[in-house]
Amino acid sequence: MQTFHINTKEKREETGDLFGIFFEDINHAADGGLYAELIQNRAFEFDPIDNKEYHALYAWEKVCQDKEAVELTILTDSPYTEKNPHYLRIETKKTLSGIKNKGFSKGIALKAKETYHFSCYLRMVNKPADIKVRLVGKNGYEYTSAILKADSCEWKKHTVDFYINEDEGCGEAQLEVLCCEPGSFELDFVSLFPHDTYKNRKNGLRKDLCKLLEAMHPKFIRFPGGCLVHDGKLDENARDSMYRWKNTIGPVENRPARRNNWGYNQTLGLGYYEYFQLAEDIGAEPLPVIPAAYDPHHQRKVSLDELKPWIDDALDLIEFANGDETTVWGKKRTQLGHPKPFGLKYLAIGNEEVGEGFTERYPYFHKAIREKYPDIKLIGSASPFAAGGEYERGWKSARECGCDLIDEHFYMNTDWMIANTDRYDNFKKDDSKVFLGEYASWGNKWENALAEAAFMTGLEKNVHAVALACYAPMFANVDYINWKPDMIWFDSQNSYGSVNYHVQSMFMRHQGTHRLDFELEESPKEQYDRIVNENKIKEKAKTISGEVRVKVHDGEGAFFDALVTNTKTGEKIHLSNHEGTMKQAEQRNAFAAAQKIGEIPSDWTEYTLTLKAKQTSGRKGFLIYIGEENNHILWTLGGWQNLDICLERFKDNKGACLSESMFSVVRHHEYNLKLNVNDRKMEAFADGVSMVSAEDRVAVAKPLYISTAYDGKCGDVIIKAINVTERASDARFVLQGITGRHSVTLEQMKAMPYEENTMDSPNKVVPYTYDEFINGGSFTRSFEPFSITVMRIHL
Ligand code: AHR
């Protein structure tokens, strides 16, 4: 049995703000999600720029038997505010006719015995008109209504509180705005909020979702997004601009609707003030991400001599968060209702940045902010990859600038997570600290959460180098999915935490204040058995071998002169040539669509694959596969936007990008490609130049993943034990220097690897707690297969 000796007397590094959360408006996480507004397209600002199906009347419909009797005209000539210029003129020839809004998802969720706050702007056209506003359920059942008067030639705001005095609510209600008699009126900013928002805030947030966040006790919240922040035009007034925080504060009517790069519209009703407020309400440090005047998605960059307004935005943001009333932006915050500073400590510049566009600009931001606000912890970006040229470029820049932290991101398969629990073991404590700002394994099943938990013990163990970490993405509305997996799932009425959520929550709630050292003691026999077992797993693991398949990514081209040379024996295998066309439809299953040109024997562990490749049409470059459909290496050249070269391991359709660098394929150029394979190491060359290298590490699960911490707030010693294997794992713990009887609170989760929480079974896999006692400073335990156990020993 393994024995873990825990040094309980010597507190090591502070764990600080290690585990937090990341909010991005993806999967309708804000509008139609956390932001409690129930009306979709409330200001008639939806636009094909957001989504090609959108138009100014999206989510609205005429209400009238005779549709011809209602005329709807979108106007912009005399709006309430130029920031949101569209408004609606309704002209009807029939009584009680007009329009209705279907809300988000399947409809507006109305709860029994709840109050809803309605508001809209009305303007009369020729003469006053009586307007009926009503909430109707399915089959036209009227829950409640009110009569408003459009009797002013100027825009006038009207408000009504609707009470649902019924015993049952309705998940699919609609809001109707009707002209009582034939006539006309103008309408804008139609809004409906539940009164019961989180902390009862106006323009507030959905309570159930905030409660899920609050319950985790996150140490920080990264916002307002990842790609959403830097994917956009440079002009802050462009409809599809980058995310500019100044557009998101003040009266919601003046926040310009914006294209959300996830294919929908952002009202910005949930803006920077609300984000800071949310952070404060859930007790998390705010961690904003601002664009670095560079959009890597479209290679847009602000010239270096025009950076000032962008840097000023960063400085003003800090003043907005922390300045007192005598400062311009501190005063604005006070006027918005929050005289007390928000206490901003962290600021991230950029997200998943690739290319020198970022590393050229970042230093200017850094220098200016450092000079004015030396205490703000500045965060650089290390690309969206775990290794490779762009990752190194980010780190180099961070070191040169003296970044406090550097933001790493990766989405990987469970094997990679297990194989890389030691990723940060050799990171230095006097370097920039790692902010693992986005990570997840590909799935919401228990096997994913378990792998993440094992990986997180590696973060805790290396808190000297890893300062912050947050899972991504946070929210998904089941009716609008852009990205899976996600931590919290919801529809318009219900929400639940995925198994990954519960694991994140366990790590946050049991972070402790200091790391404790522990040592693993194994008998020689145990050590021998373990090593034999590890070697067996490594030997059984699939070598980098099997079918070789090739494909021009999304166009036409040719592969020829392919040859595999065994570097140990000198044997050679000639592969066939391939000339191919890639139809759009085939791209979904690229492996199957790729052409098999030969096979590399499984016992060839040291070899060189050489081939020539030419792309003659298409936007991207080449895909080269080695292996089988559900377990292969993919070598991509000219991937993403024909901008990179990657080596990835795919297992069961889930990828792990092992390494990436920048590389663009030039049309009609004949490339000499070479891949050197040496056991699990690969190095890829194009035209004789080494482009990317990687190690495809085998996932060898330890019997237990352990981390230990001390909680200075209550004096507890915390032990986390993760068993990712199918066997029970026994361990003995020796708490050095501890005697006597102590109570222990255990929090556990266990399930089969394929299990998950769903909307129908939201609590299938959740933690449960119980108490035990230990006598003396040592105890043994058996940890069940596929389980996570957190033990809090109350000293
Ligand atoms: O978390 C989803 C997306 O993943 C983020 O927007 C981006 O930073 C990353 O590519």
Side-chain angles (χ1 to χ4, degrees):
M1 187 190 320
Q2 295 190 317
T3 301
F4 296 92
H5 295 266
I6 304 170
N7 183 345
T8 59
K9 292 295 152 210
E10 209 179 317
K11 286 183 259 162
R12 300 301 310 270
E13 305 87 1
E14 290 187 6
T15 58
D17 296 329
L18 183 57
F19 292 125
I21 52 178
F22 164 48
F23 180 88
E24 172 161 27
D25 188 1
I26 185 171
N27 309 311
H28 274 262
D31 292 285
L34 188 63
Y35 184 50
E37 173 64 84
L38 294 166
I39 303 300
Q40 185 170 197
N41 191 15
R42 66 182 174 192
F44 308 104
E45 296 297 332
F46 276 30
D47 189 284
I49 293 179
D50 312 324
N51 179 312
K52 53 184 185 324
E53 283 170 24
Y54 280 5
H55 49 85
L57 282 168
Y58 188 86
W60 294 95
E61 247 178 58
K62 288 182 184 175
V63 179
C64 190
Q65 291 276 331
D66 172 10
K67 300 280 182 259
E68 302 296 309
V70 177
E71 200 170 319
L72 304 178
T73 316
I74 294 291
L75 298 167
T76 54
D77 51 345
S78 161
Y80 172 72
T81 150
E82 294 294 340
K83 294 276 182 194
N84 284 300
H86 299 85
Y87 59 93
L88 176 66
R89 176 174 291 177
I90 303 178
E91 292 163 284
T92 74
K93 295 192 185 109
K94 296 264 167 98
T95 54
L96 281 183
S97 55
I99 51 159
K100 62 180 180 187
N101 187 278
K102 67 182 181 79
F104 294 93
S105 302
K106 293 174 194 71
I108 297 169
L110 294 180
K111 288 192 193 143
K113 311 293 177 203
E114 289 268 357
T115 302
Y116 291 84
H117 183 70
F118 169 83
S119 64
C120 71
Y121 283 73
L122 291 175
R123 188 164 66 181
M124 76 179 199
V125 178
N126 300 316
K127 55 180 185 148
D130 282 351
I131 310 300
K132 181 167 186 177
V133 181
R134 51 185 219 136
L135 285 165
V136 293
K138 272 184 157 176
N139 313 322
Y141 175 76
E142 182 177 297
Y143 276 83
T144 172
S145 70
I147 301 287
L148 310 175
K149 283 193 182 304
D151 55 2
S152 156
C153 299
E154 300 300 323
W155 286 109
K156 190 166 134 194
K157 186 170 182 178
H158 298 254
T159 60
V160 182
D161 276 351
F162 286 125
Y163 180 67
I164 306 301
N165 192 17
E166 308 277 338
D167 292 330
E168 265 187 40
C170 171
E172 297 176 31
Q174 305 201 329
L175 175 103
E176 295 185 352
V177 183
L178 312 171
C179 215
C180 294
E181 299 296 335
S184 54
F185 66 99
E186 288 172 346
L187 178 69
D188 207 353
F189 298 106
V190 186
S191 171
L192 184 74
F193 267 87
H195 256 230
D196 192 23
T197 57
Y198 181 56
K199 306 264 182 197
N200 291 318
R201 302 217 179 278
K202 291 251 155 45
N203 193 43
L205 307 181
R206 221 175 105 166
K207 198 172 179 178
D208 58 332
L209 299 180
C210 289
K211 286 275 177 197
L212 280 166
L213 302 183
E214 184 190 89
M216 300 177 90
H217 294 279
K219 289 284 197 294
F220 67 89
I221 175 168
R222 176 179 185 247
F223 62 86
C227 291
L228 170 125
V229 169
H230 64 173
D231 177 349
K233 296 220 174 96
L234 304 178
D235 173 5
E236 79 231 53
N237 296 316
R239 189 64 169 58
D240 50 348
S241 74
M242 286 186 194
Y243 194 103
R244 306 296 290 272
W245 76 269
K246 285 176 181 164
N247 283 341
T248 76
I249 59 165
V252 291
E253 294 85 348
N254 290 334
R255 304 183 192 180
R258 166 179 193 270
R259 174 197 79 125
N260 174 325
N261 75 319
W262 295 107
Y264 55 99
N265 173 277
Q266 259 191 306
T267 61
L268 298 179
L270 170 51
Y272 257 71
Y273 181 78
E274 290 78 19
Y275 283 120
F276 278 124
Q277 184 70 76
L278 172 66
E280 185 175 272
D281 286 345
I282 60 174
E285 298 291 344
L287 194 161
V289 187
I290 57 168
Y294 169 62
D295 168 4
H297 297 262
H298 302 91
Q299 321 315 280
R300 297 178 180 124
K301 34 184 121 150
V302 175
S303 68
L304 296 181
D305 51 6
E306 285 173 5
L307 281 180
K308 185 162 182 322
W310 294 75
I311 294 171
D312 286 347
D313 266 10
L315 297 171
D316 294 344
L317 175 61
I318 299 169
E319 189 174 288
F320 177 71
N322 294 351
D324 64 27
E325 280 181 58
T326 62
T327 63
V328 174
W329 289 94
K331 188 168 172 195
K332 282 201 203 287
R333 186 199 63 241
T334 305
Q335 285 163 348
L336 292 175
H338 203 286
K340 201 173 138 229
F342 283 118
L344 181 69
K345 284 197 327 204
Y346 301 105
L347 182 62
I349 323 277
N351 164 71
E352 297 195 346
E353 303 294 343
V354 291
E356 60 186 11
F358 174 71
T359 43
E360 261 172 10
R361 279 157 190 75
Y362 177 84
Y364 293 89
F365 285 83
H366 188 98
K367 185 166 177 285
I369 301 169
R370 251 311 179 258
E371 264 167 32
K372 190 157 180 196
Y373 297 108
D375 293 338
I376 293 287
K377 293 194 184 313
L378 288 170
I379 308 175
S381 165
S383 87
F385 304 100
E390 290 311 292
Y391 175 80
E392 295 301 338
R393 188 205 298 273
W395 264 98
K396 181 167 177 282
S397 155
R399 287 190 179 115
E400 282 166 6
C401 293
C403 286
D404 300 288
L405 299 115
I406 174 151
D407 188 6
E408 299 197 349
H409 293 181
F410 35 78
Y411 296 91
M412 299 294 203
N413 55 32
T414 49
D415 274 7
W416 186 93
M417 290 272 164
I418 297 292
N420 288 278
T421 53
D422 61 353
R423 173 176 171 86
Y424 296 110
D425 283 6
N426 296 319
F427 279 48
K428 308 251 173 342
K429 76 169 191 302
D430 48 7
D431 217 337
S432 301
K433 302 274 183 257
V434 172
F435 168 27
L436 186 48
E438 291 183 27
Y439 73 98
S441 74
W442 289 117
N444 279 139
K445 296 196 189 308
W446 182 237
E447 63 187 0
N448 301 100
L450 264 184
E452 285 153 14
F455 188 76
M456 288 166 83
T457 61
L459 304 180
E460 293 184 312
K461 202 168 78 180
N462 290 305
V463 75
H464 69 277
V466 183
L468 309 169
C470 49
Y471 180 95
M474 185 193 283
F475 282 125
N477 181 325
V478 294
D479 293 312
Y480 305 97
I481 301 165
N482 302 113
W483 183 292
K484 284 203 263 193
D486 302 286
M487 193 169 75
I488 294 169
W489 291 79
F490 61 88
D491 60 19
S492 49
Q493 303 180 77
N494 303 303
S495 51
Y496 71 90
S498 64
V499 289
N500 318 64
Y501 163 87
H502 290 291
V503 165
Q504 291 292 321
S505 171
M506 277 170 102
F507 274 73
M508 281 174 214
R509 289 181 288 106
H510 302 298
Q511 184 185 298
T513 54
H514 296 78
R515 184 178 73 80
L516 292 179
D517 271 335
F518 68 86
E519 260 177 41
L520 167 63
E521 180 198 322
E522 283 173 314
S523 67
K525 163 94 173 68
E526 281 165 350
Q527 196 180 32
Y528 175 80
D529 287 348
R530 180 173 55 76
I531 292 171
V532 167
N533 184 43
E534 283 175 8
N535 286 341
K536 260 198 223 152
I537 295 172
K538 284 184 185 158
E539 271 162 34
K540 265 174 59 187
K542 192 180 170 350
T543 55
I544 301 170
S545 62
E547 291 181 10
V548 180
R549 287 172 172 254
V550 292
K551 176 162 121 46
V552 175
H553 204 149
D554 60 349
E556 294 172 321
F559 297 84
F560 45 98
D561 293 352
L563 176 74
V564 192
T565 308
N566 187 322
T567 33
K568 268 204 233 158
T569 63
E571 284 171 87
K572 289 187 191 304
I573 302 172
H574 289 274
L575 310 181
S576 46
N577 290 344
H578 170 61
E579 201 155 323
T581 306
M582 189 61 229
K583 291 197 211 95
Q584 205 68 22
E586 289 171 332
Q587 284 177 39
R588 273 168 204 278
N589 189 350
F591 181 92
Q595 180 68 33
K596 180 176 170 186
I597 59 168
E599 194 143 347
I600 301 171
S602 61
D603 57 350
W604 283 32
T605 51
E606 287 176 38
Y607 62 85
T608 299
L609 165 68
T610 51
L611 73 166
K612 291 186 175 140
K614 184 157 77 173
Q615 185 253 43
T616 50
S617 74
R619 290 167 306 133
K620 302 188 189 182
F622 314 112
L623 301 174
I624 301 172
Y625 298 87
I626 303 175
E628 60 219 37
E629 181 157 7
N630 58 6
N631 195 356
H632 59 259
I633 290 291
L634 168 59
W635 176 18
T636 303
L637 296 105
W640 188 39
Q641 305 183 8
N642 189 15
L643 273 181
D644 59 16
I645 181 166
C646 314
L647 288 166
E648 273 169 281
R649 163 63 73 184
F650 271 83
K651 181 126 178 257
D652 301 328
N653 246 331
K654 309 262 164 50
C657 178
L658 306 173
S659 192
E660 179 269 3
S661 288
M662 293 207 94
F663 181 80
S664 303
V665 165
V666 175
R667 188 167 296 170
H668 299 299
H669 176 78
E670 190 178 293
Y671 286 94
N672 282 302
L673 305 179
K674 181 166 84 172
L675 183 72
N676 280 345
V677 174
N678 186 346
D679 194 14
R680 312 238 38 119
K681 295 201 170 125
M682 293 168 277
E683 185 172 8
F685 297 77
D687 292 338
V689 181
S690 171
M691 291 290 170
V692 68
S693 51
E695 184 176 353
D696 176 32
R697 299 176 75 188
V698 176
V700 183
K702 291 186 188 171
L704 276 180
Y705 291 89
I706 297 288
S707 69
T708 49
Y710 169 74
D711 194 338
K713 290 190 195 129
C714 51
D716 291 351
V717 166
I718 302 168
I719 305 174
K720 298 192 186 79
I722 322 297
N723 183 359
V724 302
T725 75
E726 62 195 356
R727 287 174 305 280
S729 198
D730 299 339
R732 179 164 171 262
F733 295 91
V734 179
L735 305 172
Q736 290 162 353
I738 303 295
T739 53
R741 182 176 157 89
H742 299 280
S743 67
V744 183
T745 304
L746 292 103
E747 186 167 339
Q748 277 182 308
M749 280 181 85
K750 63 169 196 265
M752 292 308 285
Y754 52 81
E755 287 185 296
E756 62 186 327
N757 292 336
T758 59
M759 204 52 99
D760 291 335
S761 285
N763 296 319
K764 188 162 187 174
V765 189
V766 290
Y768 51 94
T769 53
Y770 56 97
D771 290 324
E772 283 184 357
F773 286 92
I774 55 164
N775 276 313
S778 75
F779 62 97
T780 56
R781 269 205 90 76
S782 182
F783 296 93
E784 292 183 68
F786 310 123
S787 68
I788 297 182
T789 307
V790 179
M791 294 169 276
R792 262 188 183 267
I793 300 151
H794 310 300
L795 298 181

